[in-house]
Amino acid sequence: MRITDFDLYKELLAQKSGLVITPDKSYLLDSRLTPVAKKWGYASLEAMTMALRGVPDRKLVQDVVEAMTTNETSFFRDTKPFDIFKDVVMKHMLDARQGQKSLKIWCAACSSGQEPYSLAMLLKEMGAQLNGWRIDILATDLSEDILDQAKRGIYSQFEVQRGMPIQMLVKYFKQDSERWLLNDDIKRMVRFQPLNLLEPMTSLGRFDIVFCRNVLIYFNEDNKRKVLKGISERLESDGFLFMGGAETVLGITDAFKPMQGQRGLYITKGGKHDVLGAAE
Ligand SMILES: C[S@@+](CC[C@H](N)C(=O)[O-])C[C@H]1O[C@@H](n2cnc3c(N)ncnc32)[C@H](O)[C@@H]1O
């Protein structure tokens, strides 16, 4: 790819999705965007690049951005955060929200749904402890195609094998030859909505728990700071943020501090977590 073409995509992706692309990844532009050019009827990738230099179709830009995003995910990804969710975070919330019996959770880059559905299954497993509670799980992503997939709740054998405990699979899915269909009662627990993390988040309301995992890793520092600031403003004062194993707030923002001994879990600076004496 010509350097000027590379620069066009570099700018477009940084601006529209926050994705940082370096010259050593230019082969990815070729392999992922050639099918987009074909789908849109361009004779070549160069022809599509020319079109993007004019006043491009909004949907074409969206397709380019979606083709370049990484949707890698799995049920109960990395296991440990879901143990912490159950044993630390929900333990706190059961006590702290006993009065209002309401809990708001946001999965901020949910991909094909495995992350919010894993949370929904864990909450379902808590059974009578949550009787009478209003639980809202909002799952958002930049990509409308991936959200459509998430809403369907249909997964391949490969997808359900990665990280899903067998008893959960048997309890919450129905097999349909090669596919696994998630039960409606779990699907109904999650609301999906498109959202670009670089755009304003105020309309979402406030949350007790936010999962923003394995997305900021692709952003530059300014965008990481911007997104974390937005999330800190959406979190209740005793709320929790989960980030991915390779992500951190250190050196980026002091709006959050890590919880000692709970990898990937953050609380807001000055956050009130009375029952968690260990918060540091
Ligand atoms: C690697 S997946 C992570 C999924 C899940 N959180 C996990 O940890 O398994 C990253 C997701 O972030 C989404 N994404 C990328 N840029 C985004 C943006 N600016 N706003 C919202 N979502 C974005 C992608 O579409 C993709 O589905």
Side-chain angles (χ1 to χ4, degrees):
M1 175 173 285
R2 286 189 313 222
I3 191 87
T4 48
D5 289 356
F6 172 81
D7 286 344
L8 175 122
Y9 287 110
K10 185 178 155 192
E11 257 168 53
L12 184 144
L13 291 166
Q15 198 195 351
K16 300 286 179 194
S17 72
L19 177 68
V20 173
I21 185 137
T22 48
D24 59 312
K25 294 276 160 50
S26 88
Y27 70 93
L28 267 183
L29 289 171
D30 282 308
S31 62
R32 293 201 188 171
L33 297 183
T34 301
V36 178
K38 202 164 165 197
K39 173 182 156 192
W40 279 78
Y42 291 105
S44 63
L45 180 53
E46 287 69 33
M48 183 174 88
T49 311
M50 286 273 283
L52 285 166
R53 288 189 186 286
V55 183
D57 187 310
R58 195 195 64 83
K59 187 70 185 101
L60 172 60
V61 173
Q62 176 81 3
D63 278 2
V64 166
V65 169
E66 293 199 8
M68 292 308 299
T69 57
T70 301
N71 299 123
E72 167 68 14
T73 188
S74 57
F75 287 102
F76 302 98
R77 183 175 185 175
D78 303 333
T79 317
K80 188 79 184 145
F82 294 91
D83 292 341
I84 296 175
F85 171 77
K86 197 165 42 98
D87 300 334
V88 179
V89 171
M90 283 310 294
K91 186 164 172 254
H92 169 82
M93 289 300 172
L94 277 176
D95 202 41
R97 300 290 182 275
Q98 199 49 243
Q100 61 265 49
K101 289 194 170 11
S102 140
L103 195 64
K104 288 191 75 186
I105 302 174
W106 175 27
C107 278
C110 66
S111 188
S112 36
Q114 285 89 328
E115 190 175 74
Y117 288 143
S118 299
L119 295 175
M121 285 186 270
L122 284 182
L123 292 166
K124 194 82 175 169
E125 288 290 299
M126 290 178 68
Q129 281 182 291
L130 291 173
N131 271 356
W133 281 59
R134 235 176 332 108
I135 309 253
D136 181 39
I137 307 175
L138 173 68
T140 61
D141 200 281
L142 169 85
S143 161
E144 296 191 16
D145 287 350
I146 208 79
L147 286 174
D148 285 343
Q149 213 174 302
K151 279 181 217 160
R152 283 196 288 275
I154 300 175
Y155 297 95
S156 66
Q157 182 72 38
F158 175 72
E159 286 169 320
V160 296
Q161 264 166 359
R162 297 176 68 202
M164 175 98 73
I166 185 75
Q167 63 277 24
M168 293 271 202
L169 179 62
V170 172
K171 197 163 169 186
Y172 296 116
F173 289 78
K174 267 189 284 305
Q175 189 169 15
D176 173 31
S177 71
E178 302 285 283
R179 312 176 311 163
W180 290 84
L181 318 185
L182 183 61
N183 290 353
D184 284 343
D185 55 345
I186 298 295
K187 277 174 32 181
R188 274 196 294 266
M189 289 174 72
V190 182
R191 259 180 330 121
F192 290 97
Q193 182 182 314
L195 181 95
N196 185 338
L197 286 169
L198 298 183
E199 282 166 16
M201 313 168 173
T202 40
S203 65
L204 298 180
R206 287 172 74 83
F207 298 91
D208 302 297
I209 304 164
V210 175
F211 277 68
C212 185
R213 300 172 66 221
N214 305 304
V215 59
L216 294 187
I217 196 172
Y218 302 108
F219 289 16
N220 66 23
E221 286 226 348
D222 280 352
N223 283 332
K224 283 182 190 171
R225 196 170 294 118
K226 182 177 170 188
V227 173
L228 287 169
K229 180 171 184 290
I231 292 176
S232 73
E233 290 164 0
R234 298 295 94 226
L235 256 190
E236 296 294 351
S237 62
D238 66 342
F240 294 90
L241 166 68
F242 284 87
M243 291 178 72
E247 295 165 328
T248 181
V249 301
L250 299 175
I252 297 166
T253 175
D254 57 8
F256 291 99
K257 56 183 179 182
M259 275 204 59
Q260 245 174 25
Q262 311 294 349
R263 202 178 147 81
L265 182 63
Y266 297 83
I267 56 177
T268 52
K269 193 101 183 228
K272 292 193 266 104
H273 294 74
D274 299 341
V275 297
L276 296 173
E280 220 349 279

